[in-house]
Amino acid sequence: MLRRALLAASASHRVRGIVTAAPYTRDVVTRFVAGDTADDAIGVTRRLLAEGLLVSLDHLGEHTADPGQAAAVAEEYVRLLGRLSADGLASGGRAEVSVKLTAVGLGLRDHGEKTAAQNVARICAAAADAGTTVTLDMEDQAGVEPALRVLAELRPDFPDLGCVIQSYLRRSADDCAGLAVAGSRVRLCKGAYRAPDEVAFTRHSEVDRSYARCLRILLGGDGYPMLATHDPRLIKIAGIRADAVGRAPGSFEYQMLYGVRPAEQRRLASGGARMRVYVPYGSDWYGYLVRRLAERPANLAFFLRSLVSTG
Ligand code: FDA
């Protein structure tokens, strides 16, 4: 119930206004977001790479309603990749980028999918020049088919373009089977959006079982699995499964969010695993923050304190 209410709040302009103005909100934001600027993102990237972690940078923002803004988001990524390359942080995919299709135009009234694909292609070209990769984030279930189409359209030119599969969707095991092919990069997560029962598992246990099914398919296939979860049980299952199918440590990676289980991130990396941290930056952090609060009641104390103190 609470999770549903929070996810509904993430789409409300009125709640957004209250939360972004609240005095304590900033404390919560700095825990999950690198900062407002590319300088902040690069500073955090440098620090994480020095600690033996890998990074995926996300420029915060979604649901762009204007083609000029969509192009500006693509330009921000191109500039960021240029800076990562110049600073020696991108080579070999050490720092890559994650892109939301609605940030680069998917939701535009006219030619949204085409615009998004063109913008992603620009970002992929800049990433290739920098020696690194791009991964397409997955948003709500309406975006799944367009994202998979954009992926299929661009992979002939950019074979290492990756995508996200969310285990809460009933279709995901089939999607994983289709994507577990040579050269394909798939980030597997549980899913942070709402979806109707017909298309999504609603019970945590079902989502977790689906995750375990999907990770078995990906680890048993020929692609490059990116196992994005903080769940200790699933991380353990992944390790056991990877050993069972003879996966070398460099042939898959674990991923976690910036600010979540940092000690576990370091433990996995120091044990020889590839461990990537998803690092968001930018001033449009509202939707991202509310999704983080929705998945962990412990963070809600901060959130509620911010709301009360606006009163
Ligand atoms: P879950 O939230 O069920 O937690 C399981 C267990 O993990 C907990 O019981 C606890 O033991 C541990 N845990 C979780 N959070 C913790 C914390 N803060 N502190 C301590 N322990 C904690 N979603 C999406 O819909 N589209 C996307 O594109 C992406 N992209 C993405 C990239 C990356 C790199 C990650 C890690 C995640 C995403 N997500 C996402 C978010 C994802 O779908 C999901 O909402 C969160 O990762 C939370 O799910 P968990 O797998 O961590 O399990």
Side-chain angles (χ1 to χ4, degrees):
M1 272 303 280
L2 188 56
R3 181 165 186 269
R4 277 175 184 270
L6 279 167
L7 291 177
S10 75
S12 155
H13 288 294
R14 190 160 158 270
V15 179
R16 172 190 286 255
I18 295 169
V19 172
T20 51
Y24 290 102
T25 301
R26 200 77 213 172
D27 296 346
V28 191
V29 175
T30 49
R31 186 178 147 200
F32 295 111
V33 175
D36 285 349
T37 66
D39 280 343
D40 297 327
I42 286 171
V44 168
T45 299
R46 202 184 293 285
R47 176 168 61 75
L48 294 173
L49 293 182
E51 292 175 27
L53 300 161
L54 306 168
V55 168
S56 188
L57 284 164
D58 164 39
H59 180 250
L60 288 166
E62 44 203 85
H63 303 299
T64 300
D66 163 63
Q69 173 63 17
V73 171
E75 190 51 40
E76 166 73 25
Y77 274 106
V78 169
R79 268 199 309 273
L80 176 71
L81 285 158
R83 291 193 55 189
L84 290 171
S85 172
D87 289 2
L89 304 174
S91 59
R94 288 198 309 149
E96 64 135 38
V97 294
S98 292
V99 179
K100 284 190 175 44
L101 284 178
T102 68
V104 291
L106 183 64
L108 296 178
R109 194 192 306 246
D110 297 320
H111 311 299
E113 190 170 321
K114 189 165 165 223
T115 304
Q118 286 168 347
N119 282 326
V120 172
R122 278 186 65 207
I123 299 168
C124 287
D129 286 346
T132 192
T133 51
V134 178
T135 304
L136 297 177
D137 283 330
M138 198 63 91
E139 299 171 72
D140 62 19
Q141 49 113 11
V144 175
E145 281 296 333
L148 295 179
R149 279 197 300 270
V150 169
L151 181 78
E153 180 188 332
L154 296 184
R155 275 200 69 218
D157 290 330
F158 305 104
D160 55 14
L161 174 61
C163 75
V164 170
I165 296 294
Q166 300 150 310
S167 73
Y168 83 127
L169 295 179
R170 294 178 189 273
R171 57 177 289 165
S172 290
D174 289 341
D175 286 336
C176 285
L179 289 165
V181 295
S184 158
R185 295 170 56 256
V186 178
R187 172 183 293 158
L188 178 64
C189 69
K190 289 189 188 177
Y193 297 80
R194 284 190 304 167
D197 296 3
E198 310 86 76
V199 296
F201 299 112
T202 46
R203 289 214 301 271
H204 286 300
S205 58
E206 292 176 312
V207 176
D208 291 358
R209 271 202 298 279
S210 167
Y211 194 104
R213 228 175 4 256
C214 290
L215 79 76
R216 270 188 219 103
I217 294 167
L218 293 174
L219 285 169
D222 293 325
Y224 182 78
M226 303 181 281
L227 305 172
T229 180
H230 314 98
D231 192 325
R233 238 165 28 109
L234 290 171
I235 291 168
K236 195 163 177 198
I237 291 172
I240 292 169
R241 194 66 204 159
D243 284 348
V245 297
R247 280 254 172 197
S251 70
F252 70 102
E253 68 187 44
Y254 297 99
Q255 300 190 340
M256 293 188 200
L257 302 176
Y258 180 65
V260 180
R261 303 200 71 203
E264 175 67 358
Q265 295 174 11
R266 282 161 191 77
R267 186 191 71 80
L268 285 165
S270 64
R274 283 171 68 82
M275 172 70 234
R276 192 175 300 275
V277 186
Y278 183 100
V279 179
Y281 77 98
S283 50
D284 193 0
W285 41 256
Y286 176 76
Y288 181 85
L289 177 74
V290 174
R291 287 194 294 278
R292 300 293 75 80
L293 296 175
E295 68 212 6
R296 190 144 178 94
N299 294 327
L300 274 173
F302 288 104
F303 180 76
L304 294 174
R305 207 151 40 112
S306 337
L307 290 182
V308 168
S309 45
T310 57

